[in-house]
Amino acid sequence: MRDVRSDFPILTVPENGKRLVYLDSAATAQRPVQVMDAVRAYAFHDNANPNRGVYDLDNRATLAHEHARDRVAGFLGASSDEIVFTQNATEGLNLVAYSWAIPFCKPGDRIVVAISEHHSNLVPWQRVAQVTGCTLSYLYPGPDGIYTHDALEQAILPDTKLVAIAHVSNVLGTMAPVSDVIRLAHSVGARVVLDIAQSVPHTPVNLHAMDVDFASFSGHKMYAPMGIGAVYIREELMDEMVPFLSGGDMIQSVHTSGTTYARGPRKFEAGTRNVHGEVGLEAAISYIEGIG
């Protein structure tokens, strides 16, 4: 533990005349020197706008951007073509809400949300219900904070279109029975969106093994810089989804009569990417794997 503590410069600076003890990692983690060194090295040696040029520096920036995507995919047990970089878990959940839920939900459909969710995995579904006319239902835990099998069966009904739940609750600290949620949801044809922001820093996550449809997380809760995160979208769902934001890098071609969108993750990555953050996220993954 002493060696790990020395990796975090902020913990060596006195706070109110005493050694800093930081207990708010559920809100944001501190950054180890290994992560900030990686960000610094990219900024000083490889910084350019990825996918915008054919010169060496831009090629290196593009490689850094895509290598980080590959690293995130491997860490999460997913394919690189299923990883979309975002600002944070909140943006990822909103992307699913606006690009999948609003186009596909309709009156008569049901969205089921765990009542213990962070606002980022609750408010977007309220807005989807307001826009589409679908029904929003809540899943309630037992007295011990655990969602029982009976509660899941009572909540996930044949008209359910989507179930949204956190893998680990930032409110209760409990782990959701994800395998039961996904199995029951899929049995009625529903999709599952998982908030994995609190689980990926602490426990192995294999999204393909889970058979989940969508999953979102923030880098800043796992030692990466703020302003970087990713959302996993099952590959076969990506093509049927509409873009979330429009602009540079999410297009294949533009004409006066219309636009053809890029395929895969780039369809959802409008504008200049935060490659500094992506490089930092990759370094954070290496740090987590290094300490176990």
Side-chain angles (χ1 to χ4, degrees), residues 156 160-161 163 179-193 207 210-214 234 236-237:
I156 301 173
T160 301
K161 193 80 169 184
V163 180
S179 59
D180 282 350
V181 170
I182 294 172
R183 180 179 54 81
L184 286 169
H186 286 175
S187 73
V188 298
R191 301 297 183 184
V192 178
V193 56
L207 298 176
M210 286 180 171
D211 198 27
V212 71
D213 302 292
F214 308 100
R234 187 193 291 272
E236 57 264 34
L237 299 177

Side-chain angles (χ1 to χ4, degrees), residues 50-241:
N51 297 315
R52 298 298 204 282
V54 294
Y55 54 97
D56 287 347
L57 199 60
D58 194 272
N59 289 337
R60 294 206 301 270
T62 301
L63 286 173
H65 170 58
E66 293 301 339
H67 192 271
R69 191 192 312 278
D70 293 342
R71 195 76 168 87
V72 171
F75 183 63
L76 297 178
S79 164
S80 296
D81 290 338
E82 299 171 311
I83 300 299
V84 176
F85 283 119
T86 61
Q87 294 184 81
N88 43 46
T90 299
E91 184 182 345
L93 294 166
N94 275 271
L95 189 156
V96 176
Y98 283 87
S99 295
W100 187 86
I102 287 179
F104 288 97
C105 290
K106 61 186 184 304
D109 290 334
R110 181 183 305 273
I111 295 177
V112 177
V113 181
I115 195 66
S116 60
E117 289 307 294
H118 186 285
H119 291 165
S120 296
N121 202 23
L122 173 59
V123 177
W125 314 119
Q126 290 179 336
R127 299 190 69 182
V128 170
Q130 292 168 356
V131 170
T132 66
C134 70
T135 300
L136 187 65
S137 297
Y138 294 99
L139 175 64
Y140 290 86
D144 57 359
I146 303 299
Y147 294 97
T148 66
H149 183 77
D150 287 345
L152 295 177
E153 286 193 322
Q154 292 171 17
I156 301 173
L157 302 173
D159 61 354
T160 301
K161 193 80 169 184
L162 181 75
V163 180
I165 193 168
H167 190 188
V168 172
S169 170
N170 80 319
V171 178
L172 304 173
T174 53
M175 182 172 286
V178 171
S179 59
D180 282 350
V181 170
I182 294 172
R183 180 179 54 81
L184 286 169
H186 286 175
S187 73
V188 298
R191 301 297 183 184
V192 178
V193 56
L194 200 59
D195 178 352
I196 56 174
Q198 299 295 345
S199 58
V200 288
H202 306 293
T203 187
V205 172
N206 188 311
L207 298 176
H208 281 176
M210 286 180 171
D211 198 27
V212 71
D213 302 292
F214 308 100
S216 188
F217 74 97
S218 292
H220 71 93
K221 296 188 179 183
M222 52 182 288
Y223 314 120
M226 289 185 176
I228 188 64
V231 59
Y232 162 83
I233 303 172
R234 187 193 291 272
E235 190 169 4
E236 57 264 34
L237 299 177
M238 197 171 282
D239 284 343
E240 67 186 34
M241 294 169 63

Side-chain angles (χ1 to χ4, degrees), residues 42 47-52 58 61 65 69 85-87 91 227-228 245-250 266 268-278:
Y42 172 80
N47 182 55
N49 202 329
N51 297 315
R52 298 298 204 282
D58 194 272
H65 170 58
R69 191 192 312 278
F85 283 119
T86 61
Q87 294 184 81
E91 184 182 345
I228 188 64
L245 300 172
S246 301
D249 214 35
M250 52 77 66
R266 286 184 65 181
F268 304 99
E269 294 181 348
T272 299
R273 310 315 302 162
N274 177 12
V275 187
H276 296 82
E278 295 164 8

